[in-house]
Amino acid sequence: MTTTVKRRQPIPADAFDHGDARRYRRGCTCRPCTDAATAEARRWKYLRSTGRGGIVTASKVIRHIWKLRAAGMTDLEIRAQAKLSPAHLYQIIRLGGTVRHTTATRILTIQPPKIDGPSRNGAHVPSLGTLRRLQTLNAEGWPCKELDRRLNTGTGYTAYLLRNKADTVRFSTADTVRHLYADLDGLAPEEHGVSPVNARLTRARAAANHWARAAYWDDDDFDDPNFTPAVSDEQLGRDQLGALRRAEIAHLITFNLPHADIAARLGMAESYVRDIAREITTGNRRNRTPESAAAAPYLKEAA
């Protein structure tokens, strides 16, 4: 039994405009195409005579392709604008090496579109930032089931991403999670459809996994593999820990939460939260006493 091998069809001349040397090489002998082929031959001859040649390294081209993907362009759109065959773009990305300078020029002249809303790009990017953002949302009390609802996915999708050990995810997935984190950052789950019990259990599970809360992160840190947050109080000095807890309290009192709720959420004594809140609202620093230090035992442990 013989197997028929499907051969890739060549790009027809009609795929290129008149005045393009590639149309001439596919059989069109009109004057504009002939002139374009002549000009290309002369350019190549000049480059070779000056020791430069018509081949350039692909590294800059590959970086630009990733930039276009990150802006939301699909590979089909990139190929159409650069007038590349279906396999050519992937050959450049996977093999690297060198490309013709004419090919490089066509790709590098493509301008990234303005980013407007979540992307549907199917390209793959490192998964680290996506994983960290989901972990942080859990640490803030957002259950996976609620995240699934807001992502408009099937039940269990967020939990799957958190368990996933793959190095990459689809760009569209990473972009959607990034938008979700930006929307939920600073919101109290209990005030947006999550029961206090579920929020408390979610925070407890995240703490058991040593997942850092939002106060430990700047937005650029999520995607930085060289950044590791201090996820436990033992990793912070007394001054650092005090400043961090003060910032958390200052953030939560803007939602007019009772001191008892803030204390329960942050695992602090209610009297300590009340004192810090009074300092923030009045602008007067309190005098530290043995009694006030006893209200925040984690500070003594970290010292």
Side-chain angles (χ1 to χ4, degrees):
M1 179 178 180
T2 59
T3 301
T4 303
V5 178
K6 186 177 180 180
R7 304 180 68 86
R8 183 169 63 88
Q9 296 298 316
I11 300 176
D14 293 343
F16 306 99
D17 298 328
H18 287 286
D20 193 319
R22 290 170 294 177
R23 187 180 179 100
Y24 173 84
R25 290 196 292 271
R26 286 162 176 79
C28 182
T29 57
C30 71
R31 187 55 181 266
C33 291
T34 303
D35 289 345
T38 301
E40 184 181 81
R42 288 174 177 170
R43 184 166 58 252
W44 276 74
K45 182 178 180 180
Y46 170 74
L47 291 172
R48 288 194 298 270
S49 67
T50 55
R52 286 178 286 177
I55 303 297
V56 297
T57 58
S59 56
K60 184 177 180 180
V61 176
I62 293 173
R63 288 197 301 270
H64 190 67
I65 292 172
W66 278 107
K67 184 178 179 180
L68 295 174
R69 285 177 164 182
M73 288 189 69
T74 65
D75 290 350
L76 181 62
E77 292 171 336
I78 297 173
R79 293 201 310 265
Q81 292 196 33
K83 296 182 178 179
L84 299 175
S85 65
H88 197 175
L89 181 69
Y90 304 124
Q91 182 182 26
I92 293 172
I93 295 173
R94 294 168 182 168
L95 300 182
T98 59
V99 297
R100 287 174 176 264
H101 80 281
T102 51
T103 301
T105 299
R106 292 199 305 274
I107 295 175
L108 293 173
T109 53
I110 300 175
Q111 295 299 314
K114 293 183 179 180
I115 301 176
D116 184 19
S119 170
R120 297 184 180 274
N121 195 323
H124 284 72
V125 296
S127 61
L128 179 63
T130 300
L131 182 64
R132 284 174 164 178
R133 287 179 175 89
L134 292 175
Q135 290 174 346
T136 303
L137 289 174
N138 269 194
E140 289 298 317
W142 294 97
C144 290
K145 187 175 181 179
E146 175 65 14
L147 297 179
D148 289 338
R149 186 184 71 80
R150 290 175 177 269
L151 289 170
N152 196 26
T153 63
T155 302
Y157 181 70
T158 301
Y160 162 75
L161 290 176
L162 288 169
R163 294 193 306 268
N164 187 19
K165 302 300 182 181
D167 294 331
T168 61
V169 295
R170 285 183 178 272
F171 177 83
S172 56
T173 300
D175 193 51
T176 301
V177 171
R178 185 183 298 108
H179 279 81
L180 177 66
Y181 183 85
D183 291 340
L184 299 182
D185 186 25
L187 300 182
E190 296 87 340
E191 298 177 3
H192 294 83
V194 179
S195 70
V197 173
N198 283 339
R200 185 167 61 252
L201 291 175
T202 302
R203 291 190 191 98
R205 284 192 294 267
N209 288 321
H210 304 290
W211 292 345
R213 300 189 63 171
Y216 291 85
W217 297 97
D218 287 328
D219 191 59
D220 293 339
D221 294 333
F222 286 110
D223 299 292
D224 183 0
N226 297 318
F227 177 82
T228 301
V231 295
S232 66
D233 294 344
E234 289 75 15
Q235 293 176 261
L236 299 174
R238 175 173 176 162
D239 292 341
Q240 291 174 300
L241 181 58
L244 177 61
R245 294 307 192 193
R246 185 182 179 88
E248 289 180 323
I249 294 171
H251 173 69
L252 291 175
I253 63 175
T254 61
F255 297 100
N256 296 319
L257 295 175
H259 294 155
D261 290 352
I262 296 176
R265 181 178 298 189
L266 299 179
M268 301 177 182
E270 183 179 350
S271 59
Y272 178 76
V273 172
R274 187 184 306 110
D275 289 343
I276 295 296
R278 186 182 299 114
E279 284 186 8
I280 294 171
T281 55
T282 63
N284 297 323
R285 301 285 291 185
R286 75 192 193 286
N287 294 323
R288 292 300 303 274
T289 64
E291 290 76 14
S292 64
Y298 56 83
L299 289 178
K300 295 193 296 181
E301 293 174 1

